[in-house]
Amino acid sequence: MIGHKLLLLPGLSLWTSGRSRWISRLRGGMNGRGKAPFSSCRPKVCIVGSGPAGFYTAQHLIKARPDVDVDIYERLPVPFGLVRFGVAPDHPEVKNVINTFTQTAKHTCCSFYGNVTVGKDVSVGELQQAYHAVVLSYGAEGNRSMGVPGEDLAGVYSAKDFVGWYNGLPSCQELSPDLSCETAVILGQGNVALDVARILLSPIDILKKTDITQPALEALAESHVRRVLIVGRRGPVQIACTIKELREMVNLPDTRPEMVAADFEGVKDAVKDLPRPRKRLTELMLKTAMEIPGEKEQERRNNASRVWSFRFFRSPIEIMADPDNKRTAGIRLAVNKLEGSGDGARAVLTGEVEDVSCGLVISSIGYKSLPIDPSVPFDSSKAIVPNSMGRVQQAAGLYCSGWLKTGPTGVIATTMNNSFDTARSLVEDMDSGTLDISAAKPGSQSISGLLEKRGVKPVIFSDWEKIDSVEMSRGEAAGKPREKLLTVEEMLQVARK
């Protein structure tokens, strides 16, 4: 928070911070925080996307330039992006960042407009006319394709959609995955892959105390999945998950690990040269795979009804169908060998193949950003907006942050740093005059008029707070932190009460 806030009159506030002093906008207009007559010369910045990238960009801008007005536009009626729809239900501590984002959203200089689809309800060009700068922070909504025969069969899902299903993303609620098989194969060995494996194998008594959706909870309670294989094209030393997620798998109640000892040949010798985080991760894997467990742990494993395992040096080459050619019956994996060592090692085909019977395949090989508007440069091969430190190439006044800037890598802290960097670039451009902020811009006032003409009614942050309140109340009644509303229609109904 910047300095402290002294209330003067209803809707008017004075903020002081050291020598800086300014009067905030009068309340009124589209979001109850309209513009005071003297605020027209303030720099206006618009952020597209209200996930971690959007909010961290806004947070840094407001801190660095207290005179800036920041408006955040979001396609859904609810904010927070992947913190709400991506973080695993059994990781509530990761969602605490929502408290920080809420402080930013309620800051006098910040406004939230949900239920507005940029590229459809309003174009990027129209936003550029209304604001001094536009920051694209809308993340990665697409799926990377496996590019193998059979990936369109029933029983094959992307991890993004599967996670969206159990986390309440409205567009994924029709997924209804078939969990009637015994074996599931997850392709990819990052944190998302381990999240999916953990949710598939977790005891229901654990899940029912989380904010997982009720339909997902009911489906998982009836699930027949008892074995999950987590497949990666390279070896144990290259695995993409972090030690926290691996430890959760190792300690997951009513499960036991099953590893292939041959996959760990030579790994013990390589450990000593690894960087510390990678070393600790690899040591835990080695211990789980190779060491004889103590009596208590052995008893726990013997009594476990569910099994998980890593399968290394394997790449998918075909999803195999049942006799009717409609459903998944198995997967054919190419057996790889590594050329090189460490992170730079490449998986090379050996010519051998291996067939695994399974009824469920979940592809966790990465999310992918999609172009939002023809006017915005987009690198289709890298699935990012080409940029230099967040400045979109050959597009003055246009910036990007988060996964759209870098590709879908890292954890929330990675996105925080990348978003702060973009905000710094924007502030530098304002301070140096590279970004012209001398001419007044209308900001949300003109966009408000456009949206009204087009029949689009934005959801403001106080509307989201109504949704939040209803979800928390429903959750409390069910003994959960929250019970999410699952359709845009239901969200809007509550927001407009």
Side-chain angles (χ1 to χ4, degrees):
M1 193 60 81
I2 306 161
H4 56 277
K5 180 176 175 183
L6 304 172
L7 283 179
L8 299 177
L9 293 167
L12 191 63
S13 60
L14 184 75
W15 287 74
T16 62
S17 175
R19 289 174 298 173
S20 301
R21 183 172 295 177
W22 65 95
I23 298 180
S24 78
R25 299 176 279 180
L26 277 166
R27 297 193 187 280
M30 189 161 91
N31 71 329
R33 288 196 190 119
K35 313 314 186 253
F38 47 74
S39 73
S40 58
C41 294
R42 295 165 62 100
K44 306 276 197 301
V45 177
C46 148
I47 295 173
V48 179
S50 70
F55 268 108
Y56 279 128
T57 305
Q59 180 187 322
H60 192 85
L61 280 174
I62 290 166
K63 186 178 175 186
R65 285 287 302 234
D67 62 333
V68 75
D69 287 340
V70 178
D71 294 334
I72 301 174
Y73 291 88
E74 166 60 48
R75 181 173 51 87
L76 290 168
V78 294
F80 311 133
L82 281 185
V83 178
R84 177 180 168 98
F85 296 118
V87 173
D90 57 349
H91 284 175
E93 72 288 348
V94 181
K95 301 184 190 194
N96 289 339
V97 71
I98 283 175
N99 300 329
T100 307
F101 296 164
T102 297
Q103 284 182 346
T104 299
K106 295 176 94 163
H107 193 290
T108 335
C109 299
C110 188
S111 306
F112 170 79
Y113 303 112
N115 194 43
V116 177
T117 303
V118 173
K120 178 180 159 223
D121 298 332
V122 60
S123 71
V124 171
E126 287 166 332
L127 292 175
Q128 286 178 293
Q129 285 173 7
Y131 292 88
H132 294 102
V134 175
V135 186
L136 302 174
S137 309
Y138 61 83
E141 288 185 277
N143 294 309
R144 280 182 61 195
S145 164
M146 287 185 281
V148 301
E151 69 178 306
D152 297 325
L153 286 168
V156 181
Y157 307 96
S158 72
K160 185 187 80 67
D161 292 346
F162 194 81
V163 169
W165 167 69
Y166 64 63
N167 271 336
L169 184 62
S171 60
C172 298
Q173 293 315 294
E174 301 297 313
L175 201 70
S176 299
D178 184 346
L179 306 178
S180 62
C181 61
E182 185 174 312
T183 300
V185 170
I186 301 173
L187 300 167
Q189 296 178 325
N191 285 344
V192 175
L194 268 66
D195 283 346
V196 170
R198 204 175 60 253
I199 296 300
L200 281 171
L201 295 176
S202 284
I204 289 300
D205 285 348
I206 291 176
L207 292 179
K208 71 183 183 185
K209 294 171 187 167
T210 73
D211 68 357
I212 194 168
T213 69
Q214 194 57 33
L217 190 64
E218 289 166 9
L220 289 161
E222 299 295 316
S223 169
H224 292 199
V225 176
R226 294 291 176 269
R227 182 169 172 253
V228 175
L229 307 184
I230 308 163
V231 176
R233 61 195 167 87
R234 298 194 294 171
V237 174
Q238 290 81 27
I239 196 167
C241 66
T242 54
I243 193 165
K244 177 181 182 283
E245 276 68 22
L246 176 59
R247 196 178 287 119
E248 286 174 328
M249 287 303 300
V250 171
N251 297 326
L252 191 63
D254 197 32
T255 70
R256 70 174 180 272
E258 276 185 4
M259 304 287 193
V260 178
D263 284 350
F264 291 86
E265 279 177 22
V267 171
K268 201 168 185 178
D269 296 331
V271 165
K272 61 181 184 300
D273 299 322
L274 296 174
R276 189 166 182 268
R278 170 72 66 187
K279 183 179 181 182
R280 288 172 59 231
L281 173 66
T282 310
E283 284 172 343
L284 178 57
M285 252 188 301
L286 272 170
K287 181 182 177 185
T288 306
M290 308 298 283
E291 287 186 16
I292 297 168
E295 192 179 335
K296 195 175 176 185
E297 173 63 10
Q298 189 62 62
E299 186 184 355
R300 187 186 81 83
R301 291 186 187 185
N302 290 344
N303 293 332
S305 67
R306 301 177 181 200
V307 175
W308 64 274
S309 69
F310 287 128
R311 285 290 183 272
F312 295 104
F313 311 109
R314 303 287 186 274
S315 299
I317 47 177
E318 184 184 354
I319 314 290
M320 298 182 295
D322 64 5
D324 296 332
N325 274 323
K326 289 182 180 172
R327 288 205 51 79
T328 301
I331 184 166
R332 179 160 292 160
L333 300 169
V335 180
N336 302 327
K337 64 178 180 181
L338 289 190
E339 284 188 356
S341 61
D343 285 344
R346 283 190 324 116
V348 179
L349 299 176
T350 63
E352 291 177 59
V353 297
E354 177 181 281
D355 290 350
V356 177
S357 295
C358 62
L360 177 64
V361 174
I362 298 174
S363 168
S364 184
I365 57 172
Y367 293 26
K368 184 176 77 169
S369 293
L370 302 171
I372 194 174
D373 190 297
S375 69
V376 177
F378 192 79
D379 183 333
S380 299
S381 62
K382 293 180 182 172
I384 60 167
V385 167
N387 70 92
S388 173
M389 290 296 285
R391 297 174 179 93
V392 177
Q393 287 173 10
Q394 298 171 332
L398 199 56
Y399 300 80
C400 60
S401 68
W403 283 358
L404 186 64
K405 170 184 172 184
T406 60
T409 57
V411 292
I412 289 176
T414 322
T415 296
M416 177 183 75
N417 290 325
N418 129 12
S419 303
F420 285 177
D421 285 344
T422 292
R424 272 191 279 271
S425 292
L426 207 168
V427 170
E428 280 171 20
D429 292 351
M430 284 185 194
D431 292 346
S432 69
T434 306
L435 181 69
D436 183 8
I437 54 173
S438 60
K441 292 262 192 171
S444 63
Q445 286 182 325
S446 68
I447 301 301
S448 151
L450 285 176
L451 293 174
E452 200 173 336
K453 281 180 198 163
R454 292 164 189 174
V456 178
K457 191 177 177 187
V459 168
I460 60 175
F461 202 76
S462 58
D463 295 335
W464 147 247
E465 290 179 315
K466 295 178 199 170
I467 296 170
D468 186 40
S469 175
V470 166
E471 290 184 342
M472 302 275 271
S473 299
R474 290 185 182 187
E476 195 177 350
K480 299 168 70 175
R482 76 169 60 234
E483 190 63 61
K484 292 175 185 170
L485 305 185
L486 301 180
T487 67
V488 169
E489 291 71 27
E490 201 177 3
M491 291 170 182
L492 293 177
Q493 202 176 354
V494 170
R496 287 168 184 167
K497 273 185 181 172

